[in-house]
Amino acid sequence: MTQTTLRNTSPKLDKERIPRMFWGKLLVWGLFTALMLLLGIKLYQTTLGPVSRGTAPDFTLTTFGGDSYTLSDHKGQLIVINFWASWCGPCELEADALEQAWRQYRNHGVMFLGINYVDTENEALAYLKKWGVTYPNGPDIRTSISQDYRIKGVPETYIIAQDGTIAGTVIGPIEYNNLTNALDLLLNQ
Amino acid sequence: MMLALLCAIYAATVSLSVARSDRLKWVDSARNAAIAVWPLLTFACFCMTYLLINERFEIEYVARVSSHAMPWYLKATALWGGQAGSLLFWAWLMSTYTALVMLRNWHNERDMQPFVIASTMTTLAFFIGLNVFVENPFTKLWIDQSGHIQASFLAPPGAKPFVPNDGQGLNPLLRHPGMIIHPPMLYLGFVGFVVPYSFAIAALAIGRTDNLWIRVTRRWTLIAWLFLSLGLLLGSRWAYDVLGWGGYWGWDPVEIAAFMPWLTGTAFLHSVMIQEKLGMFKRWNMILIILTYALVIFGTFLTRSGVLSSVHAFALSAIGPLFFVFIGITFTISLTLLFKGWNRLDSENILTSWLSREGLFLLNNLLFMGILLACFWGVIYPIISELVTGQKVTVGPPFYERTTGPQFAALLLLMGIAPLTAWRVTTARRLGKIIWKPTVFSLIFPVYALTTGTTNAVALLSLWLAAFVLCVTLYEFYRGASARRKATGGNLLSSLWNMIARNRRRYGGYVIHLGVIFMAVGIIGIEMFQAETQGTLAYGEQINIENYVMIYNKIEEFDTEDNRRVTRAIVSVYKDDKFVAELYPRRDFYVDSQQPMTIPGLYSTLEGDFYVLLVDWKPIGTESATFKIYLNPLMNWLWFGGFIFILGTLVAAWPNRGPSLYRQSTSLSVNPPDIVL
Amino acid sequence: MFRLLASTGITSLLIFYCFGEVSAQDAQPSDDEVNTIAKQLYCPVCENVPLDVCGTKACAQWRDDISDKLADGWNEEQIKQYFSDRYGIRVLAHPPTQGFNMLFWLLPPVSIIIAWFLVLRTNHNIFRKKHMYKQSIAKQVRAEEYIGQLENDLEQWR
């Protein structure tokens, strides 16, 4: 009795199984390809360094004071973008150099923007006050700017040429002479 | 040193000769070559250890992970303290496994042999290849005329060897006894799965559908699984002792990456029994072992490629893309073979009842897969989210707790029922007859808990589950032993002993279950009843947490020989107004790497742990210090359960002493003691 | 089993805290109150380490921020909202359940249910032919068990 039912059902099952098998296979391969694709893209992204070439990613920065600066509005101007945070020790090494450079070059049409990465407002303002920073600074809301520039840490500084392309990337604290040399070069072009 | 390179070339020729292994006479040569990889890699490992111990800082790897101040044993274990060295170590362990497999007798499995060699050696060659071409631990440091220091194997033109005065030293987090043995255990677990996988692939490749591959690899699988479990346990103990967050498991992506193969491995160990007994689930077992192996490789990829960032992850490295390709190739081959053999692997039996052992095992497997899915999704989702929405997300514990919690509870329930059911079919009445006694007995525990003031329904339920499984398992031991006593006479204990000795696999399994229950008790304790508090105290001040009082006595600061600046507080702990312990929570500041470490003070009883940390929320000084205290109830049960768990696995995996199995035991008995001790 | 229902744990903790701190509205909030919230947040600077145990300076600042906000009378929800608005949703241990992230929360339960359904469906014949099997196989099993027992006994007497 048992045996006959078994035998009766199995061929029918096999016939049903063929298309089912096909879809199953397709699904498995599909999922596998999707996973590999995903990992591949992620892997590619992790091997990319910070943005160093081409058009600088556009962003709008709202400063602590409430003004807003959009990068694309300042085309034709030389722009220095500095990522920093109050909890970052090396940032303090460059704070003064940046401020000095800003004071020297603001009349030459150079724009400085400080982007405050993952910081609390109180601490950030205290830091700005401590170093007497006068150029516009604002928080990086939802870390979207730093993600676009793929920063690996703070401080990082990007120099954006008049045509909106990235002219220089400095990882780690920037030195006053290096910065002014780079700016001079770009201004005299 | 150059021999490492030779070794890899050798392995490559092995794989090559294996490719032609259809011809039988080549198989023996391939086998010998496969065995020869082991001494060569052993030599490479030995050289590396020698270099590490003798402070040969001209080697880049030595300069990076070792330093003069480190004691010799730490220098030796620095072999697996960095990317390159641990890859070498990994390859060495894998070659140990494969050499042992090759040394066993191949009488019955001659036709599988070439494919087993091919698949193990390809994997091995891949790892050695990585070691030689991408992450070579033997690269030297060179300095060129401009004073620029670089690392390469051969001298760059115009450069002179460079010998730094001291190395950077091992990451302080890794300088813990638990961390010394945790990675080898984990690696042994990971690597061990290559054996059953290779046999499965060989079986698929030659079209065998019987259980041979499972019978041959059963013990290998158990040993791999044993080491993996041990690795996970040691890892959690390490986290508990060193990471200083009062917990043992943080659902960190890397932890999960190691946990996932364990899940599939455990499911495999269960469902394999059904195939052996009834010839069912053949495809499923193939899928499981392929999945386990894939997850091992995938986990290694995740931690080593820099795709994930985590406390445990290695630094960014160039091996990512190679790993990626390797995963793609192995998985594609496995899947193709699986689909080719799909129809041949038809089940010999069909499921007749859910209330049978195989039915419940199927449910058990489903639950394991469910947990796996949740874990996998949690690890992979942040990547998807970043790609789709551009926003990063963090998948924290809440997700895992919600998705896996109920499934773990269901697993516990199954663990209680399944041992009582018979193969094929069990009637509800028969089951009821056996089960009512332990069930009633187990109700005592939650009722007792209720009377002592536990009102949390979830906690009570999980406590009951644990008690239920405990009663059932003990009852099973009792039933078996008393049946045996009836048959043979003698006292209950000796019949219990004989019974276990006779059916080690089964009762070893039950011992593992007991271990799991104790662990579950510990986990229920810490997860549901953990209490914490924090406060800043001055000398003589006290802080209360539940029925404990802690008084801050003193703080002292001193330097140690191995370049640590230690800040140590002395506190007294009172429980119910009685003095119980003096504890020394401390902060070690590693001067060379500028890294602090927080070591807890721990007063540990079966009832629970009093875990105190010195935290630096506010500056630590003589006036005041901030303490964070956790009460982790029943925590010790987790470690105790882990111990039982390992014991049970050993019982189940211990080689049989009988002439019929003599062959297997000789090849195996060499394995665990050599490596454990 | 692992951290089953964190919420229950948190509520019990909350009860514990309330017990210790009743009138903490305008005074400086206690560390425990800060920790309750910090536990549920992750600072991007130390990935995968919850804020309450992370040792970096950035995290210390965040905890101070939480403390200040508590002192200003913010509640837990507001603080979490503030942090996720400002630093992105990745600071939350519990990703939000709206928008694309719905997928995240829905996929595991849905696919597990589908898997169970499929398995039950493939083996649905169990329910149909239960009786036939039960009789024939129960007999067979009993016989097998008996033989097994017999063999076992014989072996022991040997």
Side-chain angles (χ1 to χ4, degrees):
Chain A
M1 183 70 179
T2 331
Q3 290 303 314
T4 47
T5 30
L6 261 178
R7 231 168 259 146
N8 283 344
T9 48
S10 57
K12 205 178 98 196
L13 269 177
D14 272 357
K15 246 182 242 164
E16 276 177 4
R17 218 170 249 169
I18 292 163
R20 230 205 276 166
M21 249 324 262
F22 173 75
W23 289 113
K25 270 188 197 176
L26 201 70
L27 185 72
V28 170
W29 284 117
L31 282 177
F32 174 59
T33 323
L35 179 67
M36 288 309 278
L37 213 64
L38 190 71
L39 288 177
I41 295 172
K42 176 72 190 175
L43 193 63
Y44 173 70
Q45 284 178 347
T46 40
T47 47
L48 286 178
V51 179
S52 56
R53 253 177 297 152
T55 316
D58 196 20
F59 61 84
T60 302
L61 180 75
T62 308
T63 62
F64 291 116
D67 304 331
S68 112
Y69 291 85
T70 303
L71 191 66
S72 48
D73 292 349
H74 294 266
K75 220 164 200 175
Q77 224 179 339
L78 196 57
I79 302 172
V80 176
I81 301 174
N82 174 250
F83 290 91
W84 63 278
S86 65
W87 43 261
C88 134
C91 294
E92 306 207 345
L93 300 174
E94 61 168 17
D96 197 43
L98 281 167
E99 179 59 24
Q100 292 307 323
W102 158 246
R103 286 189 186 168
Q104 190 182 341
Y105 285 89
R106 61 186 300 179
N107 301 324
H108 297 77
V110 181
M111 184 75 211
F112 275 54
L113 288 176
I115 297 169
N116 184 219
Y117 173 75
V118 187
D119 214 343
T120 55
E121 195 156 333
N122 291 346
E123 299 281 345
L125 290 174
Y127 177 96
L128 293 177
K129 202 172 165 193
K130 178 181 171 195
W131 293 99
V133 177
T134 54
Y135 56 87
N137 269 284
D140 180 9
I141 297 296
R142 295 192 186 137
T143 63
S144 59
I145 307 173
S146 40
Q147 258 168 276
D148 285 344
Y149 281 80
R150 294 196 294 266
I151 69 163
K152 288 273 183 284
V154 274
E156 285 188 15
T157 307
Y158 295 82
I159 300 171
I160 297 166
Q162 291 89 335
D163 60 351
T165 59
I166 291 184
T169 306
V170 180
I171 293 174
I174 195 165
E175 274 167 35
Y176 179 77
N177 287 341
N178 294 350
L179 180 61
T180 50
N181 287 346
L183 290 180
D184 285 339
L185 203 73
L186 286 163
L187 280 173
N188 296 332
Q189 259 171 11
Chain B
M1 292 196 312
M2 296 289 278
L3 262 160
L5 192 68
L6 251 177
C7 185
I9 295 166
Y10 207 85
T13 48
V14 171
S15 318
L16 264 179
S17 62
V18 163
R20 302 198 279 166
S21 62
D22 312 345
R23 283 173 261 169
L24 257 174
K25 59 178 172 179
W26 283 102
V27 178
D28 278 332
S29 145
R31 178 189 156 180
N32 291 337
I35 295 169
V37 176
W38 183 74
L40 288 170
L41 277 182
T42 310
F43 184 69
C45 275
F46 176 78
C47 289
M48 197 67 238
T49 319
Y50 176 85
L51 292 169
L52 280 166
I53 289 181
N54 287 290
E55 301 173 10
R56 298 285 285 273
F57 296 126
E58 73 266 28
I59 308 289
E60 193 233 352
Y61 183 75
V62 179
R64 200 142 36 83
V65 298
S66 161
S67 72
H68 182 67
M70 272 164 44
W72 66 269
Y73 59 89
L74 277 182
K75 279 181 199 150
T77 52
L79 175 62
W80 50 84
Q83 173 89 273
S86 71
L87 267 178
L88 175 67
F89 186 61
W90 173 289
W92 178 70
L93 290 178
M94 187 177 272
S95 76
T96 314
Y97 270 112
T98 50
L100 283 171
V101 171
M102 294 305 144
L103 282 171
R104 71 183 289 281
N105 197 306
W106 282 87
H107 256 314
N108 301 323
E109 303 88 20
R110 204 66 195 163
D111 49 347
M112 280 192 187
Q113 197 179 11
F115 291 96
V116 172
I117 299 177
S119 100
T120 50
M121 283 305 120
T122 322
T123 318
L124 193 52
F126 167 72
F127 277 99
I128 302 175
L130 280 185
N131 235 319
V132 173
F133 298 112
V134 189
E135 286 284 346
N136 193 328
F138 293 98
T139 46
K140 281 184 169 181
L141 286 172
W142 304 92
I143 186 161
D144 59 18
Q145 273 102 354
S146 57
H148 187 72
I149 297 164
Q150 65 178 103
S152 74
F153 192 68
L154 298 170
K160 278 189 212 135
F162 175 73
V163 185
N165 288 330
D166 199 357
Q168 294 167 358
L170 197 61
N171 183 343
L173 284 177
L174 306 181
R175 299 183 192 184
H176 176 266
M179 208 51 198
I180 294 175
I181 36 177
H182 159 66
M185 292 297 135
L186 211 54
Y187 291 179
L188 272 171
F190 274 179
V191 165
F193 281 110
V194 79
V195 179
Y197 167 78
S198 298
F199 272 91
I201 287 298
L204 277 177
I206 59 172
R208 278 182 88 137
T209 59
D210 58 1
N211 301 334
L212 187 71
W213 71 273
I214 284 176
R215 265 188 289 123
V216 170
T217 58
R218 187 183 85 81
R219 201 151 275 140
W220 295 91
T221 318
L222 255 178
I223 287 171
W225 188 75
L226 165 77
F227 283 121
L228 187 55
S229 317
L230 204 56
L232 287 169
L233 269 170
L234 286 169
S236 16
R237 180 76 220 197
W238 167 73
Y240 191 65
D241 282 351
V242 169
L243 290 186
W245 35 260
Y248 58 96
W249 185 260
W251 291 109
D252 179 281
V254 172
E255 288 170 9
I256 296 169
F259 187 51
M260 287 195 293
W262 186 87
L263 286 172
T264 50
T266 317
F268 177 71
L269 283 177
H270 284 97
S271 77
V272 144
M273 290 185 230
I274 303 168
Q275 178 169 348
E276 282 182 65
K277 203 92 181 175
L278 301 170
M280 296 163 73
F281 294 175
K282 288 182 176 177
R283 292 166 186 159
W284 182 234
N285 285 329
M286 282 288 175
I287 296 175
L288 275 180
I289 195 64
I290 292 174
L291 205 56
T292 308
Y293 181 72
L295 284 172
V296 164
I297 303 288
F298 179 70
T300 322
F301 166 74
L302 282 185
T303 38
R304 284 168 188 266
S305 64
V307 166
L308 288 182
S309 38
S310 135
V311 249
H312 311 268
F314 288 86
L316 198 64
S317 152
I319 65 173
L322 291 166
F323 244 108
F324 178 73
V325 173
F326 183 69
I327 292 181
I329 293 172
T330 36
F331 214 72
T332 311
I333 293 175
S334 312
L335 271 183
T336 317
L337 280 172
L338 181 68
F339 285 140
K340 262 181 136 181
W342 188 262
N343 287 327
R344 258 184 279 123
L345 291 169
D346 211 354
S347 192
E348 289 164 23
N349 270 303
I350 65 167
L351 204 56
T352 51
S353 159
W354 287 110
L355 262 186
S356 59
R357 184 142 332 155
E358 65 272 25
L360 293 180
F361 271 26
L362 177 64
L363 297 187
N364 143 308
N365 269 246
L366 266 174
L367 286 169
F368 272 116
M369 289 305 107
I371 297 170
L372 173 74
L373 183 101
C375 290
F376 188 76
W377 183 239
V379 170
I380 219 77
Y381 182 74
I383 305 179
I384 299 178
S385 160
E386 204 187 335
L387 279 182
V388 177
T389 64
Q391 272 211 329
K392 287 185 179 173
V393 288
T394 304
V395 181
F399 168 75
Y400 296 107
E401 282 154 7
R402 281 182 202 187
T403 47
T404 62
Q407 299 193 68
F408 276 117
L411 266 182
L412 263 188
L413 184 66
L414 276 185
M415 215 166 96
I417 302 174
L420 297 177
T421 54
W423 295 102
R424 305 311 289 152
V425 74
T426 307
T427 58
R429 185 185 292 173
R430 207 182 123 182
L431 185 65
K433 223 161 139 191
I434 318 172
I435 219 167
W436 75 268
K437 272 192 235 168
T439 314
V440 169
F441 197 68
S442 68
L443 280 171
I444 298 174
F445 291 86
V447 168
Y448 174 73
L450 196 66
T451 54
T452 53
T454 313
T455 46
N456 186 330
V458 183
L460 285 176
L461 181 69
S462 25
L463 191 67
W464 172 73
L465 274 175
F468 170 63
V469 189
L470 177 74
C471 291
V472 167
T473 316
L474 289 179
Y475 185 60
E476 269 294 286
F477 273 108
Y478 170 75
R479 263 198 337 155
S482 64
R484 202 181 155 78
R485 185 176 60 161
K486 262 184 213 147
T488 57
N491 65 23
L492 202 60
L493 263 180
S494 73
S495 30
L496 182 73
W497 178 258
N498 285 329
M499 173 188 77
I500 297 177
R502 274 183 170 268
N503 198 343
R504 274 201 305 272
R505 184 177 183 188
R506 176 179 185 157
Y507 289 102
Y510 289 164
V511 175
I512 298 177
H513 282 185
L514 281 179
V516 174
I517 298 158
F518 291 132
M519 289 168 77
V521 169
I523 292 165
I524 295 169
I526 186 172
E527 295 305 344
M528 295 190 186
F529 300 106
Q530 186 183 43
E532 57 171 271
T533 189
Q534 183 175 315
T536 306
L537 306 179
Y539 280 174
E541 279 190 330
Q542 66 174 57
I543 187 167
N544 305 345
I545 180 166
E546 290 184 0
N547 55 343
Y548 283 91
V549 176
M550 191 192 83
I551 297 179
Y552 174 35
N553 299 336
K554 212 174 128 188
I555 201 149
E556 49 192 27
E557 206 165 68
F558 52 89
D559 288 328
T560 60
E561 271 176 31
D562 54 347
N563 250 340
R564 282 179 298 152
R565 169 149 282 259
V566 178
T567 312
R568 194 173 77 162
I570 300 172
V571 298
S572 316
V573 181
Y574 295 83
K575 183 186 177 189
D576 299 324
D577 295 330
K578 249 188 281 167
F579 175 80
V580 286
E582 193 173 68
L583 297 178
Y584 311 96
R586 63 173 215 265
R587 242 171 64 90
D588 292 6
F589 188 77
Y590 285 83
V591 181
D592 23 337
S593 56
Q594 295 283 304
Q595 251 180 302
M597 276 232 316
T598 319
I599 312 286
L602 192 60
Y603 169 65
S604 186
T605 59
L606 275 186
E607 206 181 308
D609 285 8
F610 182 93
Y611 184 103
V612 54
L613 288 166
L614 193 57
V615 290
D616 54 350
W617 277 32
K618 289 170 189 113
I620 300 167
T622 42
E623 301 94 56
S624 70
T626 310
F627 293 94
K628 185 165 192 176
I629 303 172
Y630 293 91
L631 273 192
N632 298 331
L634 306 173
M635 191 61 196
N636 254 335
W637 290 89
L638 177 62
W639 312 124
F640 175 65
F643 182 71
I644 303 275
F645 185 98
I646 299 301
L647 203 74
T649 320
L650 279 176
V651 169
W654 204 257
N656 288 319
R657 257 179 240 106
S660 59
L661 282 155
Y662 181 69
R663 273 182 281 120
Q664 277 192 1
S665 66
T666 42
S667 67
L668 269 161
S669 55
V670 209
N671 194 352
D674 279 358
I675 294 153
V676 175
L677 300 174
Chain C
M1 278 301 82
F2 284 88
R3 299 198 171 176
L4 197 74
L5 293 182
S7 47
T8 39
I10 288 163
T11 15
S12 60
L13 280 174
L14 268 178
I15 293 163
F16 179 72
Y17 294 137
C18 296
F19 184 70
E21 299 277 331
V22 186
S23 59
Q25 201 44 261
D26 29 29
Q28 194 66 18
S30 77
D31 289 352
D32 288 343
E33 286 173 297
V34 176
N35 271 336
T36 323
I37 298 171
K39 241 180 172 13
Q40 305 168 51
L41 293 177
Y42 284 78
C43 152
V45 177
C46 36
E47 274 176 272
N48 294 314
V49 180
L51 184 61
D52 64 326
V53 289
C54 183
T56 61
K57 201 174 162 196
C59 288
Q61 290 179 1
W62 277 38
R63 289 190 292 251
D64 289 343
D65 207 18
I66 294 176
S67 174
D68 292 346
K69 292 203 160 43
L70 278 172
D72 289 348
W74 292 43
N75 67 26
E76 191 177 318
E77 250 349 279
Q78 288 170 319
I79 295 178
K80 272 158 58 178
Q81 189 62 44
Y82 167 81
F83 273 97
S84 75
D85 284 348
R86 194 178 166 110
Y87 306 104
I89 53 173
R90 67 156 138 173
V91 303
L92 299 173
H94 184 303
T97 42
Q98 302 126 19
F100 182 70
N101 286 309
M102 279 259 274
L103 177 71
F104 169 67
W105 287 99
L106 281 182
L107 193 121
V110 167
S111 47
I112 288 168
I113 289 166
I114 290 176
W116 280 80
F117 175 73
L118 281 179
V119 170
L120 290 178
R121 232 188 80 103
T122 358
N123 294 303
H124 68 293
N125 42 358
I126 290 174
F127 300 109
R128 269 199 227 144
K129 302 181 210 80
K130 207 173 195 169
H131 308 289
M132 290 182 292
Y133 280 120
K134 218 185 244 172
Q135 285 162 5
S136 64
I137 282 169
K139 263 182 219 157
Q140 188 193 328
V141 166
R142 244 169 272 145
E144 271 175 11
E145 272 180 354
Y146 178 69
I147 293 168
Q149 186 64 41
L150 213 63
E151 279 172 350
N152 216 10
D153 288 352
L154 276 174
E155 209 179 344
Q156 282 159 13
W157 288 112
R158 223 174 14 206

